[in-house]
Structure formats: structure tokens, C-alpha cells
Amino acid sequence: MPALAISTDQGQLTGRGLEGFYRAGRRLLSRCQLRVAGREPIAVQARMLSADCARFVATLRPSADGGPDPDVIVERTRYADGTERIILRSAAGRHLRLPVEVSLGTDLAELAAVASGNTGPELPASVHDSGMRWSSPPGTCVVSAHPGPADALASAGLLRWEVELPPGGTWSLELRVRPEGAGPVRAVGHGASRSLATARAAGDDPRARTLLDRSVEDLQALLLRDPEHPTDVHLAAGAPWRCGLAPAEALAAARMALPLGTRIAAGTLRMLARRQLVGKGPRAGMIPGPLRNAGPHLPPGCTGVEATLLFPVLLAEAWRWGLPAQETEELLPAAERCLRWLLAAADGGPLPDPYPGGPARCETQAHAHRAALLGADLLDAHSRPGGADLRHWAERLRGSFREDFWVEDRTGGRPAAACLADGRPVSHLTGGAAHLLDTGLLGSGVLAPGLLDKVRTEQLARLLGGPAMDSGWGLRSLGAKEAAYNPFGHRGGAVRVHETAVAVAGLAAAGYEKEASALLRGALAAAETFDCRLPEMYAGEQRTEGGAPLPHPAACRPAATAAAAGVLLLTSLAGIRPDAPSGTVTLSPVRSAPLGELGLTALRVAGAPFSVRVSRLGLAMVEEAAEGLQLGV
């Protein structure tokens, strides 16, 4: 970020669909087609080298009388920042003279126009120095070539070289795509100091290492700077559709990525604190956010409500993971404003979403209850007032939730997706119920109490682990037996990776290891089919022998919440519960060790490297930790 490149595995940029180089939401180049000796090379391999780099290999047989073996290997290395390197290697036993042509074109369209198919024709090109130039009212793009071409034809956007290749010889070309007057992209992920720990996983299941590597790499690549405060970084929601800030997703991803350090959490919190609504009125204290589709049975929810509730939770848990005391103190006033808004908006009862006038959603009550308890803990620890009021409201919510949000039936009951303003429950079972298991971390490694009692928690675990919710690839966002179920519905049946990871972590923490392990194995199997770069969602069709999950055409990949979910899925197996202010860390590993032995190295706890190993017997051992950090019981 803020640059990306999209192409098929053939390597050519044809101008069709979404193909092209993008920067800051605008397509700079849509077409980049290579021909050697008048022919397109035959693609043989496409491979991601890193989050911002892909390599394409093709071959060519310049003449028909040379036998079946290719004489030329064509290698293209494409970088998201707008650089492409093309290398021709001769495998022929004779001297080759090859005309090389690169055909270029662009519409300089915005990503939204590209996605909707309203881009218009290609713009006319003009020859510019060693390449081509295109101009339109929104901006100007220049493609420069090194070495410069022998010929350039503006009407066709064509650059041409005459290449001499001796036996075993090579020839290279570099193309650079830039807005006119702009330099190379200064991506946050390429900074001198990394914002994330370079954590590694090793053990019996090789997928764990690949998943963690890819997750860390994608999170680093999705980082953006706050333009007004460049030292503060946060995560973009995902590529290609949401390349900017989405407050709720940024907070959720930063929270799941806390085992990699607190820098992203701190930057995200500071950036959103500056955007918090202040002053007077019913919205004072909220983190602004747009409405979001909530599936087939509920009206749109408000991401601002979710972000406002996540803010104090992330601050409280980042402090436990090792956020410095001074940074925590600076962010406390913003957290207090969030918590005051919560009490005012809830007005002694459940919290409506959207506020005001919306239904009381199940997952919103889970977020609010967690925010109240963790917020109270944070305020008490820093000698701030308000903790008692928050705990009192949370206690009242627990009582009313168990009465109003639990729908009894012959199978043991279920949590309602929501309660309407007139008190009627929306009884559909959704993946959002997994958030009831995510209670948050208090001091000494203790988890906050949840909204459900033990009997109902056990029933929820059974439901989440049952065939209606567990697709075999992860947790469905709506049960397969519910009305309006759609395996591609992003909140109506598709698997959302974030909710799956929350369910795995919550089930494991509550002691329901069988259900947690099944969902974990399903998510890992899905990750393997996506080369361990998980999309934010995919179809919730039932897993079959030899099958693969169906990609969702509107899913971001990479996505911040999906990449961070990969971190949560693996670290939840060790059950790391730090309390940096008191100098302790508690381990609560999954005793069944569903992935066998697993070692996690170079995590961050209390600002220092932290490594832990879970044995095949489900025993966790700390192998590296900050000096003075004690293992709690």
C-alpha cells in the first residue's frame, strides 16, 4: 500500500477486467503486453515471491524448425510499486536476433469505475523521453523504459527493441510506471524498522509456518501512514476493494495482531482518537464509521458503533501486551469518551446498533459487554473514575441478555441474532454469535466473564461445531438450515475468516477443544488451497472429499482481518495471556494439540521477543521472554 498490481497467471496485462498497476485507488497502467519475435511467449509458471512481488516465467521458440524445445526463457518480475523487470535468456546454440515489443495503454480510471465496468476507452499516448505518457484531468502517467527503445509509436502505445542474444546470453529491460512528477512508492512495509515482529512457526504441521509467514508479510504490506502524523501507522482494510482506512476492521486486525507487537495498535488508536467525535450531543465520543450490510435478516449495522466499542478494548489489551505506560496514558481520555458514550447510548439496557433506533444485535452486546469490563479494569488500574458504573451496567446486561436474547427450542436453544425494538427476537443463528465467546483479557491472564452462563456456553459451542455452522472450511456466517441461507452471502452463509478465528480462540479458551480443533483444521485446509493467503471470506459450501472452497468474487485478498486471523488461529493454540504491567504471562494451551508440536518464535510480549513451544502432549513451554517476565499460574 498504497500501490498494488493485478494480473492473471499468464503475466500479460491485457486491459481486461481489473488488470493493471494502481496507486492510491487509480489505475496508472491497464495494458502491458510483451511480444518477442512477433509472438506472445507461452506462460509456464506464475508465483508470488512476496506480498508485493510476483514472478512470471514463459518460453519461446522463435522458429518452427528448431525442434520442440524452447530457445528463449522469458522472465518477468512485477512489483506493486509500478516496476517491472523483463529478462530474456537464450538457451539456443546459435546467435539470435529478436525484435521485442511492449504494447502499453491506460484509461487512468479510478478503481471504483474499473470495478463497475465504467472506465471508457484507452487514452491517447504520446512519446515521452524513453517511454510513453498519458494525460487526463485527474492526472498524468508516465512509463519509462531502461534501456530506451529503438522505436516508439504513440498511436499504438508501442515500444520496440532489436535484441541480439548470443548462445547463453541475456538481455534485460526495466519499465517504471509513475504518476508524472512522482517518485517511487514509499511503502510503510519497506521502512527501515518493521512495524511487526518477524514471527515464525515451526512444528509437525508445515502449513502453520506458511500461514504465519504469509500473514505477517501481508499485514506488513497493508500498512498505511496517517498523512498528518506519518509516524502513526494503521492497516488498510484490504486489496483491491478497500485500500484505505476502515476503522472497525483496522481495530479488529490490530487486536488480533497484538502477539506481533503493539506498534500498529498504538498507531491505529492515536489516528482514530484524532478523528473521534467530541463536544456535546448523542454521538459525542463515537469513532465515525459507515453503515454495513448485515445480511438478509437485519438492517445495515453501524461500523462506527463497533469501532467505538473496540477502541477501549484494544487499548486495554495492548497495555497488557506491553504498550508503554506513557502511550497508554495519552490514549486514556479517548477511551473514556468511548465508554461514556456507551453508557449514555445503552441507557441502562442493551445497546442499539445503529444508534439510535436500531435493533439490539447479539454481537454488539458482546462487544459492549467486553468494552465495559475491560474499560473498567483499565480505568481502575490508572486511578480514573467510572469503573463501577461500567461494571454495574455489564452486570445488568448479563441478566437481561440471558432472558431476552436466548431463544429456547427442542435442541437446547440458541442466541438470537438480535432483538427488535418491540422486544421480538430475530432467532436466526449467525456466525456473529462467536463473539459471545470473545470476552477479552484482564489482569493476571484472567479472561473477563461472558454474557452466557456455563450451560448456554456449552450449547453455543455445540451449535458452532455442528454441521449447520461448520462448513468443513470454517464457520458459516449464517447457519445452512436458516431461511435465506446463501453460501456466497458475505453475512448470509459465506465463511468469514475473522469470525472463524474468533470462534476457534473463544472455544479453545472456554475448554471446547473438539469444536475449536475442527474449525481450526478446516480453516487451515482452506488456507492451503489459497496458498495460505486467506481472503476475508469464501463460499460456505460443505466440504467434500477432494474439494476446495469457492472464492468469493468480492473478497479482498489480502485482507487485514484475514491476515491477522492467521496470527490469532496459531497463537490461540498456545493460549498466551500476558500481563506486562505486573510482569507476568500465563499460558493456557490447547491440550489436544490439534497440529501436533508447534513452536512460535519472535513474538512480542512486554516489548521483547517471546517464544513458546506447545508439545504433542499439549504442554506449553516458554523458550524466550523479556528479562524479569514471570510465568503465571
Side-chain angles (χ1 to χ4, degrees), residues 163-535:
V163 175
E164 303 282 344
L165 274 182
T170 63
W171 177 81
S172 62
L173 166 67
E174 181 173 279
L175 301 174
R176 296 177 183 171
V177 185
R178 304 279 191 270
E180 189 171 42
V185 173
R186 298 181 62 84
V188 180
H190 290 172
S193 60
R194 289 180 61 91
S195 300
L196 293 160
T198 53
R200 293 288 183 269
D204 292 338
D205 194 324
R207 297 174 299 180
R209 175 175 181 174
T210 308
L211 178 60
L212 188 58
D213 286 351
R214 193 79 78 243
S215 295
V216 173
E217 183 180 74
D218 283 345
L219 288 169
Q220 189 76 15
L222 287 168
L223 288 174
L224 291 173
R225 297 187 189 278
D226 186 335
E228 299 174 5
H229 297 81
T231 57
D232 288 340
V233 297
H234 64 89
L235 289 161
W241 311 113
R242 296 189 293 159
C243 298
L245 171 67
E249 282 82 351
L251 289 163
R255 182 177 177 231
M256 291 187 285
L258 281 173
L260 305 179
T262 60
R263 185 184 173 192
I264 292 178
T268 303
L269 290 166
R270 283 193 290 264
M271 182 265 301
L272 292 176
R274 291 189 285 268
R275 290 159 174 78
Q276 188 177 33
L277 301 178
V278 295
K280 297 182 179 180
R283 292 173 58 81
M286 286 192 73
I287 307 293
L291 295 178
R292 174 173 57 197
N293 185 287
H297 299 296
L298 289 171
C302 181
T303 61
V305 171
E306 183 177 347
T308 305
L309 299 174
L310 278 169
F311 189 100
V313 169
L314 177 58
L315 179 59
E317 293 193 322
W319 176 60
R320 295 290 178 194
W321 279 89
L323 183 67
Q326 181 179 349
E327 296 184 56
T328 305
E329 288 277 359
E330 291 171 353
L331 288 162
L332 271 174
E336 287 178 296
R337 289 192 288 271
C338 292
L339 295 168
R340 285 198 296 269
W341 173 85
L342 164 61
L343 290 180
D347 193 24
L351 180 66
D353 179 10
Y355 172 80
R361 301 172 196 271
C362 171
E363 62 190 88
T364 300
Q365 310 320 304
H367 295 323
H369 183 260
R370 181 181 60 214
L373 293 180
L374 270 63
D377 185 58
L378 184 68
L379 296 179
D380 288 353
H382 291 83
S383 302
R384 301 290 186 109
D389 290 340
L390 290 163
R391 289 193 182 89
H392 179 64
W393 175 80
E395 184 178 359
R396 289 181 59 187
L397 181 63
R398 282 196 295 275
S400 63
F401 187 91
R402 295 170 188 178
E403 285 292 323
D404 300 336
F405 281 80
W406 192 262
V407 180
E408 296 289 353
D409 58 29
R410 289 178 295 178
T411 66
R414 60 172 64 187
C419 279
L420 302 178
D422 60 6
R424 287 181 298 129
V426 179
S427 61
H428 304 286
L429 181 62
T430 71
H435 291 283
L436 293 169
L437 300 170
D438 178 13
T439 59
L441 182 65
L442 301 173
S444 303
V446 176
L447 297 178
L451 283 171
L452 298 179
D453 57 28
K454 184 176 181 180
V455 172
R456 288 169 177 162
T457 299
E458 182 175 353
Q459 171 66 0
L460 176 59
R462 188 182 68 81
L463 291 171
L464 296 181
M469 294 299 295
D470 183 357
S471 70
W473 302 114
L475 186 72
R476 292 185 177 97
S477 53
L478 181 68
K481 297 180 180 179
E482 303 292 337
Y485 164 75
N486 174 3
F488 281 98
H490 77 286
R491 290 178 184 269
V495 173
R496 299 181 65 234
V497 176
H498 176 199
E499 282 180 351
T500 298
V502 167
V504 169
L507 287 165
Y512 300 100
E513 296 188 359
K514 178 183 176 182
E515 292 82 0
S517 298
L519 287 170
L520 170 66
R521 293 191 187 99
L524 273 178
E528 193 172 20
T529 69
F530 290 110
D531 196 27
C532 285
R533 173 180 263 189
L534 279 164

Side-chain angles (χ1 to χ4, degrees), residues 58-198:
T59 61
L60 189 76
R61 190 156 55 93
S63 60
D65 56 359
D69 299 331
D71 293 325
V72 179
I73 300 168
V74 181
E75 180 180 321
R76 302 174 73 167
T77 306
R78 181 169 296 144
Y79 297 86
D81 68 357
T83 303
E84 179 157 339
R85 296 190 177 98
I86 301 171
I87 299 176
L88 273 59
R89 305 182 190 276
S90 174
R94 65 191 187 282
H95 190 95
L96 298 176
R97 181 181 178 88
L98 303 170
V100 176
E101 297 176 344
V102 176
S103 179
L104 305 168
T106 188
D107 47 23
L108 291 179
E110 292 186 356
L111 177 60
V114 178
S116 61
N118 298 319
T119 58
E122 285 188 357
L123 297 171
S126 60
V127 176
H128 180 80
D129 290 341
S130 60
M132 292 284 171
R133 179 179 183 271
W134 298 265
S135 183
S136 71
T140 302
C141 172
V142 173
V143 174
S144 58
H146 306 274
D151 299 298
L153 183 61
S155 61
L158 189 68
L159 305 178
R160 192 174 187 276
W161 295 259
E162 288 290 339
V163 175
E164 303 282 344
L165 274 182
T170 63
W171 177 81
S172 62
L173 166 67
E174 181 173 279
L175 301 174
R176 296 177 183 171
V177 185
R178 304 279 191 270
E180 189 171 42
V185 173
R186 298 181 62 84
V188 180
H190 290 172
S193 60
R194 289 180 61 91
S195 300
L196 293 160
T198 53

Side-chain angles (χ1 to χ4, degrees), residues 536-559:
E536 62 181 327
M537 60 183 169
Y538 42 87
E541 287 195 334
Q542 190 63 39
R543 182 178 178 181
T544 58
E545 184 71 28
L550 296 174
H552 194 295
C556 286
R557 179 174 176 262

